[in-house]
Amino acid sequence: MSKIRVALVDDQEIMIRGLRMIIEADGGIEVVGTAFNGREACHLCREVRPDVILMDIKMPIMNGVEATARIISDFPKVKVLILTTFNDDEYIFEALKEGASGYLLKDAPPNVITEAIHAVKRGGAPIQPEVASRLVERFSSLAIKAAASEHRDERVRLLSEREREITCLVGQGLNNREISGLLFLSEGTVRNHLSNILSKLELRDRTQLAIFALRNHLITDFEPD
């Protein structure tokens, strides 16, 4: 099996070195290039075509949000994992809207970082619970305000009651195991529902689904007992 090709993008060299050491300790991943700002990241994608990019947010010349938008547009097969701190809230949501597949804290344990890379390559959307709960709290209030002045996406009506419940819980940052426990379903059933939901809404992954839930004021529609 070929190794996952990863590019590292951060304006701090010490961060690049630390990430390289963590990643190269995993036999299934290799670092194929590094960049120190978003513009360099775009050029790097063109040169080495990585599978996954670990992308910093705040960088000179071009930040991680702008770079994510450009890379996803030009190289749709490349997955972007955002590297963040708690102070980057306002940027994270924008990066997710631009197509980032997930986000990690910069001080995440090594195994969390490597597991996230593998998950993204498989099509998953890793979101650390510590950050997810904070973002849901922050951006749900924005979604509620937006809902007061905007109509819901018409695709909401395509969802069954069970699918709306699961969408709500994804929007709250819960993973499949937590959802299955709350709804008394098997994890396989939850995965099947999620696949149907993504197909109906024409969304790529659970990160986009979480944003959809927030934008359409769905996270307050269902509160499990």
Side-chain angles (χ1 to χ4, degrees):
M1 182 182 294
S2 59
K3 293 184 178 182
I4 301 173
R5 296 165 54 80
V6 174
L8 308 177
V9 184
D10 196 291
D11 64 340
Q12 298 182 28
E13 186 173 353
I14 190 170
M15 190 69 190
I16 293 282
R17 291 183 179 182
L19 287 170
R20 182 186 286 274
M21 290 178 61
I22 290 170
I23 290 169
E24 290 183 342
D26 185 301
I29 308 172
E30 63 176 331
V31 176
V32 296
T34 61
F36 295 96
N37 60 64
R39 183 179 298 172
E40 289 182 5
C42 295
H43 293 315
L44 185 64
C45 273
R46 188 166 286 105
E47 293 173 1
V48 303
R49 301 298 173 96
D51 299 310
V52 179
I53 297 178
L54 292 185
M55 180 81 73
D56 189 18
I57 287 281
K58 294 181 179 178
M59 296 180 292
I61 302 178
M62 180 186 290
N63 66 36
V65 174
E66 296 171 305
T68 295
R70 185 170 299 183
I71 288 169
I72 296 299
S73 175
D74 293 346
F75 309 99
K77 292 185 179 180
V78 176
K79 306 293 186 180
V80 177
L81 262 175
I82 296 297
L83 290 168
T84 181
T85 68
F86 277 131
N87 293 327
D88 291 338
D89 288 3
E90 68 272 23
Y91 296 99
I92 300 169
F93 191 61
E94 293 302 318
L96 292 175
K97 288 197 297 182
E98 296 295 350
S101 293
Y103 48 86
L104 299 171
L105 290 173
K106 284 191 171 184
D107 60 355
N111 67 300
V112 171
I113 294 174
T114 54
E115 287 171 5
I117 292 170
H118 283 285
V120 164
K121 185 61 171 62
R122 294 192 300 265
I127 300 175
Q128 284 183 260
E130 305 97 300
V131 186
S133 59
R134 180 177 174 127
L135 284 181
V136 167
E137 180 181 352
R138 178 182 177 92
F139 295 117
S140 62
S141 63
L142 297 179
I144 290 171
K145 291 178 181 178
S149 59
E150 296 181 4
H151 294 293
R152 283 183 175 181
D153 191 307
E154 291 186 358
R155 290 174 294 178
V156 170
R157 293 188 293 180
L158 299 175
L159 302 178
S160 68
E161 182 177 353
R162 176 65 82 191
E163 289 169 343
R164 286 169 68 110
E165 291 173 352
I166 291 174
T167 299
C168 160
L169 295 174
V170 169
Q172 292 177 3
L174 276 66
N175 60 35
N176 287 359
R177 179 175 298 179
E178 292 166 332
I179 293 172
S180 69
L182 284 171
L183 299 181
F184 303 102
L185 301 171
S186 70
E187 288 189 55
T189 298
V190 172
R191 284 194 296 270
N192 289 337
H193 278 303
L194 279 171
S195 178
N196 291 334
I197 292 167
L198 294 175
S199 178
K200 286 182 178 181
L201 300 180
E202 301 178 326
L203 300 176
R204 185 181 63 250
D205 52 42
R206 69 188 300 126
T207 304
Q208 288 192 341
L209 180 59
I211 294 172
F212 182 92
L214 291 169
R215 282 178 172 172
N216 289 282
H217 198 197
L218 295 180
I219 62 171
T220 60
D221 283 355
F222 168 71
E223 295 184 3
D225 296 331

